[in-house]
Amino acid sequence: MIQAKQDLLAALGEAIQELSPGAALTPAFESPKQASHGDYAITVAMQLARPLKKNPRELAEALVAALQRRPAFLTWVEALEIAGPGFINLRLKPAAKQAVVAEVLSAGAAFGDQPANGRHVMVEFVSANPTGPLHVGHARQAALGDAICSLFQTQGAQVTREFYYNDAGVQIATLANSTQMRLKGVKPGDAGWPEAAYNGDYIQDIADAFLRKETVKADDREFTASGDIEDLDGIRQFAVAYLRHEQDLDLQAFGLKFDNYFLESSVYAGGQLEKAVERIVASGKTYEEGGALWFKSTDYGDDKDRVMRKSEGGYTYFVPDVAYHVNKFERGYTKCINIQGTDHHGTIARVRGGLQAYSEATGLGIPQGFPDYVLHKMVTVMKGGEEVKISKRAGSYVTLRDLIDWTSRDAVRFFLISRKADTEFTFDVDLALKQNDENPVFYVQYAHARISSIIRNWGGDEATLAAADLSLLSAPTEAALMLKLADYPRVLSAAAEGLAPHDIAFYLRDLAAAFHSYYAAERVLDQAPALTQARIALLAATRQVLRNALAVLGVSAPQRMDREQPALETA
């Protein structure tokens, strides 16, 4: 069916040009509001009516005539019907829908994927400073970022997952001081405990490991403790390495590995920050006032100009961000996506503006709107009907590890990707533990497991399914399921283009629902052998697409699952 749809879209494009030469319309099919209206809807006549100054229904009639002359429509289309003021409803021949089963079985895990295109994409996400465990906000970033990376990989891009963090600065100094206070026997609540210190139990864990002179190794560093409680720099380096190791363990539990770690300190050490400032000054987009250096960010859509260098010295935090993104672009990443909390919204205009000023001064060619941003709202955690706000280990927030320990990696990934990033989300731990249709991840995974069970019970050789007589798949629920399978490549490309991995979660629930409806309506086993084989082929294709889409979200596709049985009523 994928080939049939491509042929039909090409023919539609030819017909559009016949009616309106030079028209800049991209041929597309839409889904009818009601399934009874057909398989696809064409709205071209409505779109051409104004520029051509013609009645849309008359245009629809002309378009239908043009389409009916084209071989692809003769081959794949059963009927074209004009409705309303100029809509065209298209009904496919059964063979067009049935073809998708063979296409899925042939492509397997690659169904929906596009060939490599040489495009380099970087996605930067999580990017937590090593001052404590990863919290639920980082968990949402991890789910979003990893899924967006997978989406771009399905579209043929080479993707780099990057983690950026500050290994110096005020927060790291506070971490070192907090650890040193614990080493000296001072703890939260004591008279000498600083108000700004970190209070979580993990600080004592770091102090204890430091005294034991342990060696800690993270993905990007390794350090051995001296055990000297007066060695503040050694305490700082050990604490950073210790917490980076802890973060790595959190990410491993989440099933996520980064390709590169980038340190903010390297922007300073390599002279990149000073170079960025010099270039922006050279662009003519700065001025001195009150002893400070200001950037004319209002020239780039910001609501006010921003300080770059403070009057007392030192740069404001958006300046190293500009230098860092220049570095990204110079590394060859012309498409960069940052996953951050909505509290970063105010920095977007000034970072993009700084990059444009740099580009104007150097001719580097950084495109406008670089980088892209996906901003997410916070996550509320509910457990036992009450909001959970504090983790004893972290001291002030629920951690990523808490969510995984309370539920599962699959539940955390699926739940945190199941809503648009810019909407607030409530993670219901009790719902994530349910083994019934109320739990969305269970609902989808159970569809995969149920299909696997049916195929095991069938007991045949799956290699024979390629020869199944797909013309026997004529039931309405079969047609609906096949149309849903055929929509997967479009959903993938649209989700990647729109940076919208939640669309994959929505699709999975729709596909699982289409399967459950089909299974409730039609018997698969104990039919005539040819019909059983055809229906097993359809189920195998459905299982494959479920598995492919779950893989994009980093969620497993179980072969077996137990389902909660409803409690029996007692007299």
Side-chain angles (χ1 to χ4, degrees):
M1 184 176 176
I2 307 304
Q3 186 59 55
K5 187 175 181 180
Q6 292 173 346
D7 293 347
L8 292 172
L9 286 171
L12 176 59
E14 294 172 1
I16 291 171
Q17 293 304 311
E18 181 180 319
L19 265 63
S20 179
L25 279 181
T26 301
F29 297 135
E30 298 180 12
S31 298
K33 292 184 178 180
Q34 297 182 29
S36 60
H37 291 170
D39 299 313
Y40 294 126
I42 302 173
T43 60
V44 168
M46 314 287 287
Q47 297 170 277
L48 289 177
R50 181 174 296 232
L52 294 181
K53 298 179 181 179
K54 291 185 177 180
N55 181 285
R57 192 170 179 90
E58 292 178 3
L59 279 173
E61 292 171 353
L63 183 61
V64 166
L67 292 173
Q68 289 176 333
R69 292 193 295 271
R70 283 167 166 76
F73 274 74
L74 294 173
T75 301
W76 300 115
V77 175
E78 188 172 83
L80 290 168
E81 302 163 353
I82 299 173
F87 296 102
I88 300 173
N89 291 325
L90 183 155
R91 297 180 190 277
L92 294 167
K93 290 181 179 179
K97 303 172 192 177
Q98 294 155 355
V100 72
V101 175
E103 290 170 340
V104 173
L105 295 179
S106 175
F111 179 74
D113 292 0
Q114 299 300 315
N117 55 27
R119 192 180 191 191
H120 294 268
V121 177
M122 175 189 284
V123 184
E124 181 222 322
F125 58 109
V126 180
S127 294
N129 290 339
T131 55
L134 299 179
H135 55 62
V136 291
H138 299 131
R140 194 170 195 185
Q141 282 197 31
L144 286 166
D146 201 35
I148 287 172
C149 289
S150 295
L151 280 171
F152 275 102
Q153 287 171 320
T154 69
Q155 301 306 294
Q158 291 182 314
V159 179
T160 296
R161 293 163 169 82
E162 184 150 293
F163 189 121
Y164 172 90
Y165 68 90
N166 181 5
D167 57 338
V170 175
Q171 290 182 326
I172 302 300
T174 301
L175 171 67
N177 289 328
S178 302
T179 305
Q180 189 178 51
M181 294 297 287
R182 288 291 187 109
L183 285 165
K184 293 180 177 181
V186 184
K187 59 184 183 299
D190 290 351
W193 186 258
E195 184 177 344
Y198 295 120
N199 298 324
D201 288 352
Y202 67 94
I203 298 296
Q204 186 63 58
D205 295 338
I206 298 171
D208 293 342
F210 183 83
L211 282 177
R212 292 192 296 267
K213 299 182 181 182
E214 290 186 5
T215 297
V216 288
K217 184 176 181 180
D219 280 353
D220 68 309
R221 60 178 60 217
E222 181 177 336
F223 192 81
T224 300
S226 67
D228 180 0
I229 65 174
E230 299 300 331
D231 179 13
L232 185 59
D233 186 64
I235 293 170
R236 176 186 63 80
Q237 293 190 61
F238 180 78
V240 168
Y242 185 99
L243 286 172
R244 277 292 309 110
H245 172 70
E246 288 292 306
Q247 290 178 349
D248 287 343
L249 294 178
D250 290 341
L251 295 169
Q252 288 169 20
F254 196 72
L256 174 58
K257 184 173 179 60
F258 283 87
D259 301 302
N260 191 45
Y261 290 85
F262 194 99
L263 307 183
E264 183 178 349
S265 60
S266 68
V267 173
Y268 293 84
Q272 297 174 68
L273 186 141
E274 291 295 341
K275 177 183 175 183
V277 173
E278 290 172 5
R279 299 298 187 272
I280 294 172
V281 170
S283 73
K285 297 295 184 179
T286 63
Y287 58 92
E288 297 271 355
E289 185 177 290
L293 177 66
W294 292 74
F295 174 51
K296 297 179 182 178
S297 55
T298 50
D299 288 359
Y300 300 95
D302 203 356
D303 59 345
K304 61 182 180 180
D305 291 344
R306 305 289 175 172
V307 173
M308 290 181 65
R309 187 181 61 242
K310 295 174 281 188
S311 57
E312 66 271 22
Y315 294 104
T316 54
Y317 61 89
F318 91 91
V319 181
D321 276 356
V322 172
Y324 172 44
H325 285 90
V326 169
N327 177 282
K328 286 183 180 181
F329 191 81
E330 290 180 335
R331 279 188 275 158
Y333 297 103
T334 55
K335 178 76 171 178
C336 290
I337 302 153
N338 296 346
I339 318 293
Q340 296 176 323
T342 51
D343 56 325
H344 288 80
H345 183 272
T347 68
I348 295 176
R350 70 196 77 161
V351 170
R352 285 176 171 170
L355 289 167
Q356 286 306 298
Y358 186 101
S359 188
E360 290 164 15
T362 60
L364 189 57
I366 299 175
Q368 291 188 2
F370 177 92
D372 291 305
Y373 288 85
V374 174
L375 301 182
H376 68 87
K377 289 191 175 178
M378 293 304 295
V379 178
T380 300
V381 179
M382 300 292 292
K383 187 178 182 185
E386 297 181 353
E387 183 178 350
V388 184
K389 293 185 178 181
I390 295 177
S391 165
K392 185 174 186 296
R393 179 167 173 268
S396 59
Y397 51 80
V398 177
T399 68
L400 167 58
R401 192 80 64 84
D402 289 332
L403 288 186
I404 295 174
D405 289 346
W406 292 340
T407 59
S408 67
R409 176 201 298 181
D410 286 343
V412 175
R413 279 184 172 268
F414 194 97
F415 273 50
L416 293 179
I417 215 74
S418 63
R419 295 287 186 276
K420 289 184 65 176
D422 61 359
T423 59
E424 293 183 358
F425 180 70
T426 297
F427 190 106
D428 188 334
V429 172
D430 299 324
L431 177 61
L433 291 173
K434 288 186 176 181
Q435 294 180 303
N436 59 33
D437 292 351
E438 294 179 51
N439 179 349
V441 67
F442 180 90
Y443 182 69
V444 172
Q445 289 181 315
Y446 188 69
H448 184 275
R450 174 177 268 182
I451 292 172
S452 298
S453 175
I454 295 167
I455 293 176
R456 283 195 303 272
N457 289 336
W458 169 61
D461 182 359
E462 291 188 42
T464 66
L465 298 178
D469 182 0
L470 302 177
S471 68
L472 298 174
L473 300 175
S474 58
T477 51
E478 288 170 333
L481 183 53
M482 289 184 287
L483 280 173
K484 186 58 65 176
L485 295 177
D487 201 31
Y488 179 61
R490 181 201 63 80
V491 171
L492 265 185
S493 60
E497 181 68 25
L499 305 180
H502 63 276
D503 284 347
I504 305 301
F506 292 163
Y507 173 83
L508 277 164
R509 283 179 286 184
D510 289 345
L511 179 59
F515 159 69
H516 289 307
S517 295
Y518 168 60
Y519 186 67
E522 305 294 336
R523 291 185 63 83
V524 175
L525 305 178
D526 302 324
Q527 302 293 304
L531 179 57
T532 290
Q533 186 186 41
R535 288 180 170 174
I536 289 291
L538 173 57
L539 292 192
T542 303
R543 181 179 62 174
Q544 184 66 65
V545 176
L546 284 167
R547 186 182 303 158
N548 291 1
L550 283 167
V552 170
L553 303 187
V555 177
S556 69
Q559 298 290 324
R560 292 176 169 84
M561 292 179 71
D562 293 325
R563 183 186 181 91
E564 290 176 358
Q565 297 299 320
L568 296 175
E569 294 185 5
T570 57

